[in-house]
Amino acid sequence: ASNSVVSWPQVIDTSPDGRFVYVVETRGAAPAGVERVESAFTDFPEGKRLSVISVSEDGLTPAAEIADAGLNLQSVEAAANGRFLAIGSEEEGAELVIIPLAGGLPAGDPIKFGLSPPFKDGDAERRIRTLHVAPDSLTLAVNVANKRVQFYRLSLDGAGLPVAVAAIGEPVEGLGRRLAVGKWTPEGRHFVVTDTNWADGAIEMLTQGPSRLSVIAAPSEGKPARIVSSAEVGRSAEGFSLSRDGRFAATINMERTYLPEIAPVAFWKGRRLYSVSLLSLDPQTGALAELDRITAAGILPEDVIFDTTGENLAVAVFHRRKGADRKRGFIDFYSIENGKLVAQGATQAMMRGVHDLVAVP
């Protein structure tokens, strides 16, 4: 299923019943014969494809494909009502793409809506990055330009499909320097988002401080959306996960493992080890607190996920810096014991570049 690592880790999701997996491509595959490009972010073909994979005891089977679902697709999420996919697109005036579903499979042409994103002067990235459907299938939270979060309300027809979309209030600011992944809490009361704390420039990438996780109370009954809590975690946090009961969060922190194997940064702090942060989350108030942080060897970790029990974590790591397996990606596993992270000592080898994780119900 064509996909790209230049996205935030939000380009895969499952149907509510776990029978299908949906994958979108942020950038397309390299043309035949091309072995190297100047920039992975701009020099690959445009990403347009949605792939649908059937999941069964017999394995994974291609089930459907939409070749032109939008432009440089940023995220995909299945609505909890099972009636549609919501995809974030870079196409101006068509940033929200709705894919109707029937029995988990595409059941009609893409339906596109403009979001009129609240861009501002000075935004380096004038695009939406990811969008997220609330558990009620009616509310969207959208990462705008990696700077702010705007909420929208969907109007659904009798079949549960969106027919209109409207912004709710003003965007939420003050969440950090460069936002990444967002997720709704299980009951839909809060929206949680990571800030990588990245800024442009080599010096910033050598000296940036901790990332943070922020909790936003969703707009409701005339009350505007607002930040209710935030907590520092390790540096360069992209992906994170919420336990199914909503009581814990975990972030995967890249630290500074992106730094190259050259002087003078070869021994720079944070270059050799990634970290995982475990946090408590109050489902009622949204209050966050970091409980523990653990480090391990690995380069460019991107995502983390709780299992169904909330007692174990899996972490996706791009590859290793040294050794015979340095060109292989891998999954590390951790347990949670008395509020602490414990490495299980188990690792599953993967292809290089493993980026996103989902739990199949």
Side-chain angles (χ1 to χ4, degrees):
S2 181
N3 64 92
S4 170
V5 299
V6 302
S7 64
W8 295 128
Q10 290 273 213
V11 295
I12 183 172
D13 199 16
T14 66
S15 59
D17 61 9
R19 294 174 55 230
F20 297 98
V21 171
Y22 310 104
V23 181
V24 294
E25 56 177 16
T26 306
R27 283 286 175 169
V34 174
E35 296 184 0
R36 182 179 294 273
V37 296
E38 290 296 322
S39 170
F41 295 91
T42 60
D43 293 343
F44 283 104
E46 292 176 340
K48 298 182 175 182
R49 191 178 310 274
L50 164 71
S51 299
V52 183
I53 310 299
S54 174
V55 181
S56 71
E57 292 181 356
D58 297 327
L60 306 177
T61 307
E65 182 179 275
I66 294 179
D68 190 359
L71 177 64
N72 296 336
L73 309 176
Q74 298 292 316
S75 63
V76 60
E77 285 195 353
N81 70 2
R83 293 296 294 119
F84 63 92
L85 299 179
I87 297 173
S89 171
E90 285 189 354
E91 184 177 352
E92 186 175 355
E95 294 87 2
L96 169 62
V97 179
I98 298 296
I99 306 295
L101 298 177
L105 292 171
D109 294 332
I111 306 167
K112 299 182 179 181
F113 296 94
L115 296 179
S116 300
F119 298 126
K120 297 190 176 182
D121 292 342
D123 283 347
E125 301 181 65
R126 295 182 66 83
R127 56 178 172 162
I128 70 164
R129 288 308 309 268
T130 58
L131 55 82
H132 311 275
V133 188
D136 63 7
S137 300
L138 291 172
T139 309
L140 292 178
V142 178
N143 174 347
V144 177
N146 290 329
K147 290 296 184 183
R148 60 195 67 91
V149 172
Q150 176 69 58
F151 291 90
Y152 295 84
R153 187 73 172 178
L154 295 174
S155 297
L156 306 184
D157 64 15
L161 285 173
V163 293
V165 59
I168 306 172
E170 297 298 315
V172 179
E173 306 274 2
L175 293 161
R177 294 204 295 181
R178 194 172 189 211
L179 308 185
V181 173
K183 295 182 188 295
W184 288 91
T185 55
E187 78 296 327
R189 184 178 291 114
H190 298 102
F191 182 72
V192 188
V193 64
T194 56
D195 167 36
T196 62
N197 200 20
W198 289 346
D200 294 332
I203 298 299
E204 288 285 353
M205 299 305 280
L206 289 170
T207 61
Q208 96 283 18
S211 294
R212 62 172 165 164
L213 200 62
S214 293
V215 180
I216 304 169
S220 63
E221 300 177 358
K223 296 180 180 179
R226 63 198 185 282
I227 301 171
V228 295
S229 180
S230 64
E232 287 189 351
V233 293
R235 300 182 189 92
S236 305
E238 287 192 29
F240 77 97
S241 182
L242 298 175
S243 61
R244 293 199 176 189
D245 62 6
R247 296 175 54 245
F248 295 98
T251 67
I252 181 62
N253 313 313
M254 194 182 297
E255 299 293 342
R256 296 185 180 124
T257 60
Y258 46 74
L259 293 176
E261 195 70 47
I262 58 174
V265 298
F267 299 98
W268 204 264
K269 184 177 181 180
R271 196 186 68 90
R272 296 179 180 274
L273 302 175
Y274 74 82
S275 69
V276 185
S277 292
L278 177 68
L279 303 96
S280 63
L281 173 60
D282 187 313
Q284 298 299 316
T285 66
L288 277 172
E290 189 180 41
L291 300 175
D292 194 25
R293 193 181 304 176
I294 193 171
T295 60
I299 307 304
L300 305 179
E302 295 287 351
D303 208 1
V304 58
I305 197 163
F306 283 92
D307 70 351
T308 57
T309 70
E311 297 175 352
N312 302 282
L313 292 171
V315 169
V317 187
F318 202 101
H319 67 159
R320 300 186 188 278
R321 187 171 293 280
K322 294 182 178 181
D325 292 333
R326 66 186 182 280
K327 293 186 177 181
R328 296 290 301 274
F330 58 97
I331 309 291
D332 276 344
F333 297 91
Y334 297 86
S335 298
I336 301 170
E337 300 177 8
N338 299 318
K340 299 292 184 181
L341 291 165
V342 179
Q344 293 184 5
T347 296
Q348 172 64 52
M350 301 288 289
M351 66 184 294
R352 182 174 182 266
V354 58
H355 200 70
D356 292 17
L357 295 169
V358 291
V360 179

